[in-house]
Amino acid sequence: MRAASYVTRSGPGGLELLVFHYPSKPDHGYHVPGGGVDPGERPDHGAVREAIEETGVAGTLSPGGLLGAELGRYGNGHPFIGLYFHLHTDEPRDAWSHITIGDPEAWDTGVPVACRFVPLAEAGPLLRTSWLDQSRYLDHLAPDPLPHH
């Protein structure tokens, strides 16, 4: 099972989404944080763990609910179930670099990533550039209910 997160925050123009890419692998496109759920781990907890491991997001992460589920296949043909969660954050940084942490056997552990918040309207085209189109549940995100001061 995989768990991924749409991590959002309130920005000057409304809702912003956290995305990242691998500068050393530009053909991998943009992603939202996500990865495997550990044995015995709740999927929503796995989503929070993956967000921290993959992006180093330092703000508070608050649950916003389950957005959707999908059946998919990895590049090697193996099937997976993917759950997409919504997390809210108060992360103050607009953009930063991070070295991924996590499973020592995973290909992306220790790989530098470039993280940034983008306006929700710009997220879809970016997320359609990766091997797994992660834009499919963007329309389930509620508009920012509070004005930004």
Side-chain angles (χ1 to χ4, degrees):
M1 179 174 297
R2 291 180 47 82
S5 296
Y6 291 110
V7 180
T8 62
R9 71 173 187 186
S10 295
L15 211 55
E16 297 177 338
L17 181 72
L18 176 60
V19 298
F20 73 92
H21 72 278
Y22 302 95
S24 63
K25 298 184 178 295
D27 60 323
H28 278 54
Y30 281 82
H31 307 267
V32 295
V37 176
D38 292 337
E41 183 178 38
R42 284 179 31 176
D44 57 333
H45 291 179
V48 170
R49 177 184 50 75
E50 286 289 341
I52 294 167
E53 289 179 356
E54 288 195 341
T55 68
V57 62
T60 302
L61 293 171
S62 305
L66 178 66
L67 298 173
E70 69 175 342
L71 300 175
R73 291 196 178 273
Y74 292 108
N76 62 10
H78 290 103
F80 68 84
I81 297 171
L83 300 177
Y84 285 83
F85 293 91
H86 184 194
L87 299 174
H88 303 279
T89 189
D90 56 0
E91 169 66 63
R93 298 175 292 177
D94 293 328
W96 64 93
S97 295
H98 175 70
I99 305 294
T100 59
I101 59 174
D103 181 353
E105 297 179 16
W107 75 267
D108 60 347
T109 298
V111 175
V113 294
C115 307
R116 67 183 169 118
F117 280 94
V118 297
L120 199 54
E122 296 175 21
L126 289 175
L127 294 176
R128 285 190 282 276
T129 63
S130 71
W131 70 274
L132 176 62
D133 178 356
Q134 295 181 317
S135 69
R136 64 182 42 88
Y137 299 111
L138 286 174
D139 61 343
H140 296 324
L141 296 173
D144 192 350
L146 300 174
H148 183 74
H149 297 287

